[in-house]
């Protein structure tokens, strides 16, 4: 019940701001659900309010409830007062799967050490002010108390369609006891598809009847794990609810992979003296050939476009690009994207020790 005319005016202003935001957003600015096979997925749209820097703010939140309804995916667009961090791509990191491989994206880590694939991610010496601002903004939006405010950020830089993140679930042993939600602020023009599945263990087996019940067809859980594929535009999205990482996996696959593979086949012939055909492995013996070749194609995009217009990438006599609309696919492939993923991690020493021991065993 409204108590004062001032409160009524503030609420009216909030609705007006929310409606204005909705009117400005295009259809392409919202998450595009490309596949939804699960009958229990529900999509909702909410107007939300929060206090940031002592000012009442308003936004639109799209919420997708997962089969276990205590878990959700949430997305919101950037607001004008939210400063997007200046992009400064990190380095390629190695992962050890019995042999070293190069992670197919560049990354940086701020705040608290992060371990993945038996590695401890190198920690940046300081946390930029813009990243700290995202901690505060996330806390305001999701109403987090002091024990749940994010204390680390993993920056993933996707320079082009060749960069991707394979299917995985986060290691929730690193999370603080009170906070398991994951928040990711995304910048850049590229809208990448995120694929969410019911989590599996080795050889795609599901652990227990509960997980099988979340699949599209519980009688065929292995074949119906995929729940939804979503094209995420820039904004903030969150994986919320207890045990999200134990129940679901997520993946951001390559963009326009067939296009890239076709260009790779023809490129050595077209640009014999320039194109990097033979690329040395990294100091740890990991292959980096296609990552270097992808960087070259993006740096020389005008040459690639010209070759496409001349029909140099013809497949059985049919050009790769039939018209200007198709030609834009390569431009889309070249678009960059950065995600700043925030978590609340436990700072206990045994978490880091676990990663060091695991890494040592694999190195030995």
């Amino acid at each position: 019940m409204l108590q004062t005319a001032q409160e009524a005016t503030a609420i009216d202003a909030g609705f007006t701001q929310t409606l204005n935001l909705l009117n400005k957003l295009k259809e392409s600015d919202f998450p595009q659900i490309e596949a939804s096979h699960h009958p229990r997925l529900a999509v909702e749209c909410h107007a939300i309010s929060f206090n940031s820097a002592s000012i009442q703010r308003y936004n639109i939140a799209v919420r997708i409830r997962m089969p276990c309804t205590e878990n959700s995916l949430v997305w919101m667009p950037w607001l004008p007062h939210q400063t997007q961090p200046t992009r400064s791509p990190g380095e390629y990191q190695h992962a050890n799967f019995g042999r070293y491989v190069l992670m197919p994206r560049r990354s940086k880590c701020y705040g608290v050490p992060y371990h993945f694939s038996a590695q401890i991610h190198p920690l940046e010496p300081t946390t930029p002010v813009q990243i700290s601002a995202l901690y505060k903004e996330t806390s305001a939006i999701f109403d987090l108390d002091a024990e749940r405010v994010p204390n680390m950020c993993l920056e993933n830089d996707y320079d082009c369609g060749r960069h991707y993140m394979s299917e995985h679930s986060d290691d929730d042993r690193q999370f603080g006891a009170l906070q398991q939600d994951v928040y990711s602020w995304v910048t850049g023009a590229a809208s990448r598809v995120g694929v969410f599945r019911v989590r599996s263990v080795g050889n795609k087996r599901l652990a227990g009847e509960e997980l099988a019940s979340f699949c599209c067809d519980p009688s065929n859980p292995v074949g119906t794990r995929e729940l939804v594929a979503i094209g995420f535009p820039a904004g903030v999205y969150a994986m919320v609810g207890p045990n999200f990482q134990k129940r679901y996996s997520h993946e951001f696959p390559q963009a326009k992979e067939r296009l890239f593979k076709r260009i790779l086949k023809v490129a050595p012939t077209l640009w014999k003296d320039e194109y990097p055909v033979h690329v040395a492995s990294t100091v740890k013996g990991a292959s980096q050939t296609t990552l270097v070749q992808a960087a070259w194609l993006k740096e020389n995009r005008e040459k690639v476009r010209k070759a496409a217009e001349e029909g140099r990438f013809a497949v059985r006599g049919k050009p790769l690009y039939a018209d200007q609309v198709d030609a834009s696919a390569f431009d889309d492939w070249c678009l960059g994207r950065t995600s700043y993923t925030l978590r609340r991690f436990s700072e206990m020493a045994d978490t880091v020790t676990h990663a060091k021991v695991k890494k040592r065993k694999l190195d030995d």
Side-chain angles (χ1 to χ4, degrees), residues 296-321:
W296 188 93
L297 292 172
K298 181 172 179 176
E299 291 168 4
N300 295 272
R301 69 173 68 186
E302 293 306 319
K303 291 182 179 180
V304 178
R305 285 186 60 85
K306 186 174 184 295
E309 292 167 357
E310 294 172 353
R312 299 295 186 90
F313 303 120
V315 180
R316 297 173 185 170
K318 188 176 181 180
L320 180 63
Y321 302 134

Side-chain angles (χ1 to χ4, degrees), residues 36-57:
S36 179
H37 309 293
H38 202 293
R40 298 208 308 268
L41 285 179
V43 181
E44 307 163 354
C45 190
H46 301 271
I48 68 163
S49 66
F50 61 98
N51 190 289
S52 175
S54 300
I55 297 174
Q56 196 72 12
R57 312 284 188 178

Side-chain angles (χ1 to χ4, degrees), residues 4 29 31 209 222 249 280 292 295 313 322 340 359 362:
T4 66
D29 293 328
E209 294 183 3
V222 174
S249 67
V292 172
F313 303 120
Y340 303 89
K359 176 181 184 298
L362 283 170

Side-chain angles (χ1 to χ4, degrees), residues 27-35 43 61-66 72-78 158 165 182-197 228-240 244 249-253 255 335-339:
E27 184 178 344
S28 59
D29 293 328
F30 283 91
Q32 303 297 306
I33 300 177
E34 299 193 354
V43 181
V62 176
R63 180 176 185 174
I64 301 174
R65 291 188 182 273
M66 304 299 276
S72 299
L73 294 170
V74 178
W75 174 89
M76 304 173 206
W78 284 90
Y158 303 83
M165 180 180 289
V182 177
Y183 311 97
S184 190
W185 294 80
V186 177
T187 67
S191 180
R192 295 295 285 267
V193 173
V195 182
F196 293 83
R197 299 179 176 90
V228 63
I230 310 170
F232 281 112
V236 56
Y237 72 90
M239 294 177 280
V240 300
F244 191 106
S249 67
H250 51 283
E251 172 188 10
F252 291 88
L335 292 175
R337 178 182 179 90
T338 299
S339 65

Side-chain angles (χ1 to χ4, degrees), residues 112-113 173-177 345-354:
V112 177
R173 290 174 296 181
Q174 299 174 92
F175 288 92
F345 274 178
S346 167
E347 299 186 52
M348 294 186 300
D350 60 343
T351 300
V352 178
T353 301
H354 169 80

